[in-house]
Amino acid sequence: MNDHPTPAQSAIRLGLITGVIAYFIWGIFPIYIKSVGAVSAMEIMAHRILWSIPFGALILTFRRQWPEVLGALGDKRVLFMLALAAISIAANWYIYVLAVLDGRVLEASLGYYINPLMYVAAGVFILGETLRKAQIVAVALASAGVLTLTFGAGIFPLTSILLAVLFTAYGYIRKTTNVGAMPGLFIEVCLLSPIALIYLIWLIKAGNAVFLSGDFGMDVLLVLAGPVTVIPLVCFALAARRLRLSTLGFLQYIGPTLQFALGIYFGEKFTLYHAICFGLIWTALAIFSVDAARAGKTIRPVTRAV
C-alpha cells in the first residue's frame, strides 16, 4: 500500500494550509493595527501602500510574473480598471483602519459578514440575475439584522455597509479584469504610491510623522505593513488555484469570525441588539451557503483587502 499522497491530494492540502493562513492573517489584522495605534490612519495607509511595492516586487520576481505586469501596463482597459480598483481598495483600507483605531472592530467584522450577500445584490442590480427563494430569505434576514441594529440600538452600521459595498466593487472589478492577483495588486499600489509618498514626505517635513521620529520599534512595525498586506494575498492566490471555490467560500468566514472575537476581547460594546443582528446575519449566511452548495454554485470569494 502506498501511503504517500497523490499530487492532487498534496495540492489540496497545500491549498487548505495557505487558504487558512491567508484568512487567519486577515482575521487577526486588527492586532497589527492596534499595535501601531499611535499612528494616524492616513500614515498607516501610506506605509501599507509604499512598503507593499518592494515586497511585492520580490514576490513577482520569485514567481516570475513581471511579464504579466508589463502586459497589464500595456493594456489601456486593464490599466483603467485597475485604477478604479485602486480607488476602491484604498477607500476600503482607510475605512477599515479607521474603524479599528476607533474601537469599532465588531462593526468592521459585520461588513465582511455582509459581503457575500452584497454580491447577491450586485448580481441582481448589475447583472440582472434572479434570486432563488433561499437567497431572498437570506437577504431578508440580513436586512432585518441591519434594521434591528439601526432602530434598536440606534446605530446605523455605515462602516459595515461601506466596507461591504467597496469590497464588492473591488471584487467585481478584479473579477472582470484579466490580470492575476499579485500583478494586479502591485499595479494598484504603484498607482496609489505618488499620493502616499507625497503625503508621507509632507508629514515628515512638518514633524507630524511617527515614522523616523526616533522609535525604531515603531519604524519596523510600519515597514512590516508591506509584508502583512502582501503575504496573505499570495497565500490566497496559492489556495485559489488548488481549491474549489465553494471551499474558499466557506474558508472566508474565518476572517470576520476572528475579527468578531477580537472585538469582544477588546471590550467593545455588545448589546442585545448586536446579538440579534449578528444572529440574523449568521443565519442568513448559513442558508445562503447551503443553497449555494446545493445549486452547485459558490459564494464568490475574492482577494480580501483589509
Side-chain angles (χ1 to χ4, degrees), residues 45 49 78-94 166 169-170 173-174 184-193 195 305:
M45 279 284 298
I49 292 166
V78 170
L79 198 57
F80 175 74
M81 296 301 288
L82 288 177
L84 293 178
I87 294 171
S88 298
I89 201 59
N92 180 280
W93 282 357
Y94 179 72
L166 287 167
Y170 178 75
I173 293 169
R174 290 303 304 270
L185 179 69
F186 183 77
I187 293 173
E188 288 163 10
V189 292
C190 283
L191 291 172
L192 294 169
S193 63
I195 299 174

Side-chain angles (χ1 to χ4, degrees), residues 50-257:
L50 294 174
W51 295 114
S52 290
I53 294 176
F55 193 76
L58 288 175
I59 299 296
L60 290 170
T61 301
F62 178 76
R63 301 184 71 190
R64 300 178 181 178
Q65 290 183 302
W66 284 109
E68 189 173 354
V69 173
L70 295 176
L73 290 173
D75 189 320
K76 291 183 179 179
R77 182 192 176 278
V78 170
L79 198 57
F80 175 74
M81 296 301 288
L82 288 177
L84 293 178
I87 294 171
S88 298
I89 201 59
N92 180 280
W93 282 357
Y94 179 72
I95 293 171
Y96 182 83
V97 171
L98 194 62
V100 176
L101 290 178
D102 286 348
R104 292 181 285 120
V105 178
L106 286 175
E107 194 174 348
S109 73
L110 178 61
Y112 290 110
Y113 276 126
I114 293 174
N115 187 67
L117 300 174
M118 195 64 71
Y119 273 108
V120 175
V124 173
F125 294 108
I126 298 176
L127 303 177
E129 296 177 355
T130 302
L131 291 180
R132 295 188 296 275
K133 290 182 179 179
Q135 291 176 319
I136 294 173
V137 172
V139 171
L141 286 172
S143 300
V146 171
L147 290 173
T148 298
L149 195 60
T150 301
F151 294 104
I155 303 172
F156 179 70
L158 179 61
T159 294
S160 306
I161 301 298
L162 288 176
L163 285 173
V165 169
L166 287 167
F167 191 63
T168 299
Y170 178 75
Y172 178 78
I173 293 169
R174 290 303 304 270
K175 188 177 180 65
T176 56
T177 304
N178 187 26
V179 63
M182 189 62 238
L185 179 69
F186 183 77
I187 293 173
E188 288 163 10
V189 292
C190 283
L191 291 172
L192 294 169
S193 63
I195 299 174
L197 183 60
I198 291 171
Y199 175 77
L200 191 58
I201 291 174
W202 171 79
L203 208 61
I204 292 174
K205 286 187 174 181
N208 296 323
V210 175
F211 187 62
L212 299 180
S213 63
D215 188 340
F216 178 74
M218 183 61 73
D219 290 347
V220 172
L221 283 174
L222 290 173
V223 171
L224 287 176
V228 299
T229 297
V230 174
I231 288 175
L233 174 71
V234 175
C235 288
F236 177 88
L238 291 172
R241 292 187 177 185
R242 291 164 174 80
L243 298 177
R244 293 183 301 175
L245 287 178
S246 56
T247 303
L248 280 174
F250 286 105
L251 287 180
Q252 76 172 340
Y253 296 123
I254 293 174
T257 300

